[in-house]
Amino acid sequence: MDSVVTTESVARADRFDHWAHEMEKVFGGLDSRPATEAPFRGRATSSTVGLLRFASIDAGPLMVRRGARAAAAPEKSHYKVAVQIAGECVVEQDGVSESLAPGDIAICDTSRPYTFAYPGDFRTVLMLLPRLLLPVRPETVRSITARRLTSKGGVGAVVGPFLRSLGAQAGTRSDAAALNLMDGATSLVTALVSEKLAEAAPSVPQQALMARIRMYIEKRLSHPGLTPDSIAEAHCISRRYLFKLFAAEGLTVAGWIRTRRLERCARDLAGAASAELSISMIAARWGLLDCRHFSRVFKSVYGETPRDYRRRALTGLTTAR
């Protein structure tokens, strides 16, 4: 269900404090300050789409900072994707500072301090994307965080309107629709990140190639026939070179595929939309056909069997409702 934060019915002197307190509930760990002495006004609608969190904000001048202590919290490991709709925003992280105009997109890593400064009235859509959903290493994404990613061309021209539309929708989606929309939003952001990495590091083609390979794997996780050979052939490289690319990042091809499949299974096991599916059906959906092997590997990673994990997750979901 969507929630709304507004200063309309709050006394002028208390408006910003009210705003900061309520927005803290949405994002957590934020230090908000007004940018002018004029009476503050603001309205924000927040919603969830699967594991994604959205906030559509229309407000007056302010500055928002996430400090080192809050950024260090492991449960806050997300990417914040900002789509500027109106007004200006100056985004800063890791010493990089850029100005966003309407139509621009920027990404910040919430595990590190960042600042969003709005010098005038503005409108924006913010999306919190769990880092585990983006199939690109955080160290690689770091080269484009706080950079202006325009939506006026390339993949950004699709990403901006899509995220803006998701942020503006009322929370009336079914669980199944929410999962599909979440996958769509994640795929688009992944495509945008891959495009910008290729532009930012033309002298390091391996990074762009790895981004394409990760996207290829992500789209084919449900295929039991996804193998190093099929991946290498699709990218016109040798199996040995494919292994070398993953080894350079401390990974193995099979290990990466297994990790991403297990994460998808864990998501489905914890979701009400898949409650009627058997555990073996969920595993098979993501290319894991040996149910006994799946159960052993899942327990080794998550510390409990798929059955226990599902029971705990669904019980918590029912209680939250």
Side-chain angles (χ1 to χ4, degrees):
M1 178 180 291
D2 291 1
S3 61
V4 177
V5 176
T6 180
T7 59
E8 291 178 1
S9 59
V10 180
R12 285 191 174 189
D14 300 327
R15 285 180 181 177
F16 195 83
D17 288 342
H18 170 76
W19 173 268
H21 177 73
E22 293 300 319
M23 293 306 292
E24 169 75 11
K25 296 179 182 178
V26 178
F27 292 108
L30 295 181
D31 177 19
S32 301
R33 301 179 183 179
T36 68
E37 295 183 359
F40 181 77
R41 65 153 196 92
R43 179 180 176 84
T45 302
S46 61
S47 60
T48 60
V49 178
L51 300 177
L52 309 179
R53 281 187 284 164
F54 284 86
S56 296
I57 301 174
D58 181 348
L62 79 157
M63 184 186 78
V64 178
R65 175 170 175 76
R66 186 171 177 81
R69 180 178 297 180
E75 67 272 20
K76 302 303 181 184
S77 296
H78 291 75
Y79 292 113
K80 177 177 278 187
V81 183
V83 181
Q84 194 70 10
I85 299 173
E88 180 187 2
C89 173
V90 179
V91 58
E92 185 275 328
Q93 185 166 52
D94 301 325
V96 176
S97 179
E98 293 212 17
S99 178
L100 307 184
D104 289 336
I105 302 171
I107 299 174
C108 283
D109 188 330
T110 65
S111 67
R112 304 190 305 278
Y114 64 81
T115 300
F116 283 81
Y118 303 94
D121 290 350
F122 71 95
R123 285 189 293 133
T124 188
V125 170
L126 303 174
M127 180 182 79
L128 282 181
L129 169 71
R131 289 204 304 176
L132 287 175
L133 291 185
L134 191 69
V136 182
R137 287 173 62 87
E139 295 84 353
T140 303
V141 178
R142 187 166 188 156
S143 65
I144 61 170
T145 52
R147 302 288 183 180
R148 186 175 69 90
L149 312 177
T150 181
S151 66
K152 297 180 175 62
V155 179
V158 180
V159 176
F162 185 79
L163 296 186
R164 180 176 176 178
S165 176
L166 276 184
Q169 289 183 32
T172 57
R173 296 166 292 267
S174 66
D175 288 336
L179 289 178
N180 289 331
L181 289 171
M182 180 183 74
D183 286 343
T186 302
S187 295
L188 284 174
V189 172
T190 301
L192 177 63
V193 168
S194 300
E195 178 184 70
K196 296 307 174 183
L197 286 173
E199 295 174 359
S203 61
V204 189
Q206 293 89 343
Q207 290 187 2
L209 176 58
M210 274 297 288
R212 291 197 299 272
I213 290 173
R214 289 173 188 269
M215 285 184 62
Y216 179 88
I217 292 173
E218 201 72 13
K219 293 178 180 178
R220 292 164 177 79
L221 289 174
S222 62
H223 298 184
L226 181 65
T227 64
D229 286 335
S230 66
I231 297 168
E233 181 179 356
H235 292 84
C236 301
I237 59 176
S238 68
R239 175 189 174 103
R240 181 177 180 181
Y241 186 58
L242 176 67
F243 289 162
K244 183 178 179 179
L245 287 173
F246 275 80
E249 298 188 0
L251 303 169
T252 66
V253 182
W256 177 256
I257 294 173
R258 181 174 61 250
T259 296
R260 298 303 291 174
R261 281 174 166 167
L262 288 176
E263 288 171 355
R264 291 300 184 99
C265 289
R267 184 201 69 183
D268 287 354
L269 288 170
S274 304
E276 299 302 319
L277 297 179
S278 67
I279 292 175
S280 60
M281 290 177 66
I282 289 176
R285 170 192 277 181
W286 296 111
L288 300 169
L289 303 183
D290 186 334
C291 193
R292 289 185 178 179
H293 177 69
F294 163 67
S295 184
R296 288 195 299 270
V297 174
F298 189 94
K299 185 176 181 179
S300 71
V301 173
Y302 289 89
E304 55 188 335
T305 66
R307 187 180 305 278
D308 291 340
Y309 180 91
R310 170 182 251 183
R311 183 184 299 113
R312 180 175 56 80
L314 293 181
T315 300
L317 183 61
T318 302
T319 303
R321 289 179 176 177

